Amino acid sequence: MEAMSKAYFGSNYGPITGSHRMPKFSDVWGSVEDFMKDINAQPIITPSDYKEGDLERIFYLLYAKYGNSTIAANDVNRFKFGVYTIIYSSAMPWLKKMEVQKRLYSMQESEMLKGSRQVYNTAQNPSVEPGTSTEDELPYIDGQNVSINKRGILEGYGVLMSLLRLDVTADFLNKFKPLFLTVVYPEDELTYMQGDF
């Protein structure tokens, strides 16, 4: 039996037989230094907009989730700009959510039990007429009515639990998923057989 192979030898990243045509995330950026070098050279993200360590943390999270994943684009530069675009559009909201989560995790029980507070002021004959469309306050008050609400322990913890989200980072990392192949089976060599089997 003789084999006849189609004349296709894959890409610059290796032969097609038993492997993918494009590199893995770890082939594109094997270290945080490589990643930061590219981040500092690209035109989409402004690194100075981020706190020290934020972009490095993003790299390590991406490496942990996608390090062995093959990129979907047929062009490595297109893949890189896809990563930059997602960081540009989604990293700041994610970082702010992480700050809020950190604050919620460190919240004291006394803070959880605090409810809302309403203050109602009245002024009889103020001798100053505010306009009907203004939001200015009167210069003095005659009386004040204050309502202070306090939550029960279960209600306070219930509100806290409803605000805590464990998947804030997972949501952020999942935005990068379309940049990688979803079928993990390696592509086979295109081979045609002729003769008796």
Side-chain angles (χ1 to χ4, degrees):
M1 159 174 54
E2 29 179 335
M4 192 170 56
S5 297
K6 187 172 180 180
Y8 180 76
F9 301 105
S11 70
N12 294 334
Y13 298 98
I16 192 170
T17 307
S19 66
H20 291 289
R21 293 181 184 133
M22 298 306 292
K24 297 179 290 190
F25 179 91
S26 58
D27 296 327
V28 176
W29 290 305
S31 68
V32 70
E33 291 80 18
D34 295 339
F35 180 74
M36 291 307 298
K37 181 180 176 185
D38 284 351
I39 286 288
N40 290 320
Q42 54 73 45
I44 298 174
I45 303 166
T46 306
S48 60
D49 290 345
Y50 294 84
K51 292 179 186 172
E52 185 177 348
D54 284 346
L55 292 168
E56 289 87 348
R57 186 177 302 109
I58 289 171
F59 166 77
Y60 288 120
L61 290 168
L62 288 173
Y63 194 95
K65 185 166 178 77
Y66 298 109
N68 291 331
S69 297
T70 302
I71 68 173
N74 290 327
D75 177 355
V76 173
N77 284 328
R78 183 168 171 248
F79 163 74
K80 288 182 178 182
F81 279 97
V83 170
Y84 305 147
T85 301
I86 294 170
I87 292 173
Y88 176 79
S89 64
S90 302
M92 287 292 193
W94 168 69
L95 289 167
K96 183 54 74 175
K97 288 176 186 176
M98 292 301 293
E99 281 181 30
V100 171
Q101 291 289 303
K102 186 176 181 181
R103 173 78 174 99
L104 289 173
Y105 288 134
S106 63
M107 188 177 267
Q108 301 296 318
E109 188 173 282
S110 60
E111 295 176 286
M112 290 187 292
L113 300 181
K114 286 182 182 176
S116 60
R117 178 178 176 169
Q118 295 90 30
V119 178
Y120 304 97
N121 295 325
T122 59
Q124 304 296 325
N125 302 317
S127 77
V128 176
E129 286 189 22
T132 55
S133 63
T134 184
E135 294 180 6
D136 294 340
E137 297 176 0
L138 295 173
Y140 79 97
I141 61 171
D142 285 332
Q144 187 178 75
N145 185 6
V146 179
S147 297
I148 299 174
N149 300 316
K150 186 175 180 183
R151 295 188 180 101
I153 292 177
L154 290 178
E155 182 187 0
Y157 277 105
V159 170
L160 177 64
M161 293 303 290
S162 70
L163 294 173
L164 291 176
R165 295 190 57 208
L166 300 177
D167 58 352
V168 172
T169 298
D171 289 345
F172 172 63
L173 293 177
N174 285 338
K175 293 182 183 299
F176 294 87
K177 193 172 185 177
L179 300 178
F180 299 93
L181 291 179
T182 53
V183 179
V184 295
Y185 188 76
E187 298 160 298
D188 293 323
E189 181 180 13
L190 302 175
T191 304
Y192 301 95
M193 305 296 289
Q194 70 180 26
D196 297 334
F197 296 96

